[in-house]
Amino acid sequence: MVGPVKVLVTGGAGYIGSVVSAQLLAEGSQVVVLDDLSTGHRDAVPSGAGFREVSLLDPPVLAEVLAEGFDGVLHFAAKSLVGESMERPELYYRNNVVGSLNLLDAMRAAEVQRLVFSSTAATYGEPTAVPIREDAPPCPTNAYGATKLAIDAMISFECGAHRLTAASLRYFNVAGARGEQGERHGTETHLIPIVLQVALGAREAVQIYGTDYPTPDGTAVRDYIHVDDLAVAHLLALDAPAPSGPTGEHRIYNLGNGTGYSVREVIEVCREVTGHPIPAVDVGRRAGDPGVLVASSERITSSLGWHPERGLTDMVRDAWTFARSRAAMAGSAAHPA
Ligand code: UFG
């Protein structure tokens, strides 16, 4: 599938889906975003993309959309808050697992044979070895990760039984922004946007969840990947050759930079980029947080030639530019000239 294609992007009004949609459009592809706007934003859908406000839990309408004809589907739409998934697992199983099953049904009926799925490092749970490779035993510690693992398995069987060729991309900690597309969660739980809210004056301090981890400075270590680097991986996965034969193939790839940064190190980079002192308060661990999560991305590098090009400072700088521009827009809306 080399060259311009017509792609359906589920969840394209969300953070990562909107960035990937923008990259696809920039490469000359035709993009239709499907989103129920439960957490996404209509104005995050890049101009140039078509838009259908449809839920994955509405099979007849989903079938109609797929019947428009697509070369492939990028599937981002999901509930993705770890804490919420433990309080309302049924919401996660219905939206994520049932929604994905409905999508696969509609794709099969419409003979759409390419899929790139947003999986997660949360499928692995507490790692037994770091960096984490794709052959590490999956053992999710929360319902969110469990639903993504269930979908990965469903996709594998679908590919083995039918002509679907799919890739599951297991993201580690995604950060940064691409111009007007960035992180705008109603409930913000992620470290970098929260730290930048402190720099913007919207919060007094950042809480550091846990200082007794077995890491050099005692705070948890994560592998941060720029959303633009992540988007490139989606385009490569979509373009990878399909096997010849009666059935397809399911490939699973981890996506990270392979470098871990502690919470304190992240806050320090945010101080350097913003010039703000960013007060931090040490508090207890957040339930379910592993100490160290770092990816081995060797498989996608050797199979698809993917290399991350942006480091943590680039991510914080781009997220900071985005956060300030959103704050300025909110300010001018609140105080029109
Ligand atoms: N943290 C703080 N203070 C905060 C917010 C976060 O100290 O206010 C810490 C967390 O405890 C963690 C680190 O910063 O150690 C990163 O936390 P994030 O919430 O930014 O990200 P997570 O590593 O918890 O979660 C990410 C994705 C999930 C995915 C998970 C996979 O956001 O969707 O990685 O492990 F499930």
Side-chain angles (χ1 to χ4, degrees):
M1 258 201 350
V2 178
V5 289
K6 184 176 174 193
V7 186
L8 183 72
V9 181
T10 78
Y15 169 40
I16 301 170
S18 65
V19 170
V20 177
S21 295
Q23 262 201 28
L24 281 162
L25 289 163
E27 302 241 323
S29 291
Q30 206 182 326
V31 174
V32 175
V33 165
L34 182 149
D35 201 299
D36 65 4
L37 300 182
S38 56
T39 52
H41 308 273
R42 177 66 183 89
D43 64 355
V45 177
S47 56
F51 179 69
R52 309 276 184 276
E53 188 175 340
V54 173
S55 164
L56 294 177
L57 300 178
D58 189 349
V61 183
L62 197 55
E64 273 173 35
V65 175
L66 266 298
E68 289 173 27
F70 292 93
D71 300 303
V73 173
L74 295 171
H75 179 30
F76 299 93
K79 296 280 173 206
S80 63
L81 297 176
V82 169
E84 185 185 53
S85 80
M86 298 304 280
E87 285 158 19
R88 298 181 66 195
E90 67 282 9
L91 183 70
Y92 279 67
Y93 276 87
R94 187 169 305 106
N95 271 273
N96 296 359
V97 179
V98 177
S100 298
L101 177 58
N102 290 342
L103 179 66
L104 288 179
D105 283 343
M107 288 176 66
R108 201 182 317 109
E111 298 182 4
V112 181
Q113 291 167 354
R114 293 303 291 239
L115 173 69
V116 179
F117 171 60
S118 301
S119 188
T120 171
T123 52
Y124 296 111
E126 189 75 52
T128 47
V130 178
I132 302 172
R133 291 160 38 113
E134 292 83 353
D135 54 11
C139 190
T141 53
N142 53 65
Y144 165 65
T147 62
K148 291 283 181 168
L149 184 62
I151 300 162
D152 278 345
M154 192 161 70
I155 293 171
S156 280
F157 286 113
E158 178 83 18
C159 291
H162 305 293
R163 286 196 57 91
L164 182 69
T165 295
S168 287
L169 304 184
R170 291 188 171 164
Y171 311 157
F172 282 62
N173 288 63
V174 188
R178 176 195 169 91
E180 291 167 14
Q181 268 81 36
E183 243 172 313
R184 289 163 64 187
H185 298 120
T187 313
E188 192 50 77
T189 61
H190 293 127
L191 179 63
I192 293 175
I194 285 178
V195 175
L196 296 181
Q197 285 174 359
V198 179
L200 279 170
R203 279 179 199 255
E204 278 190 11
V206 56
Q207 296 188 319
I208 297 182
Y209 296 145
T211 54
D212 59 348
Y213 285 104
T215 59
D217 68 14
T219 66
V221 167
R222 293 289 182 273
D223 183 340
Y224 295 85
I225 173 172
H226 195 292
V227 67
D228 251 337
D229 282 329
L230 189 73
V232 170
H234 287 76
L235 273 56
L236 290 171
L238 191 66
D239 265 354
S244 55
T247 62
E249 190 176 61
H250 184 207
R251 307 171 182 115
I252 294 181
Y253 298 115
N254 287 346
L255 278 169
N257 275 321
T259 309
Y261 289 93
S262 73
V263 174
R264 287 203 201 287
E265 286 173 324
V266 171
I267 296 171
E268 199 45 49
V269 171
C270 292
R271 288 183 180 127
E272 283 160 21
V273 168
T274 63
H276 189 283
I278 307 181
V281 181
D282 295 349
V283 297
R285 291 185 183 195
R286 186 168 68 178
D289 273 351
V292 180
L293 288 176
V294 177
S296 162
S297 299
E298 259 174 47
R299 183 184 280 180
I300 190 162
T301 298
S302 59
S303 304
L304 301 181
W306 176 82
H307 291 280
E309 289 181 357
R310 298 158 187 87
L312 184 59
T313 303
D314 302 307
M315 296 176 220
V316 173
R317 194 182 297 126
D318 293 347
W320 179 229
T321 304
F322 175 78
R324 274 187 307 173
S325 106
R326 294 294 313 170
M329 281 164 70
S332 57
H335 306 287

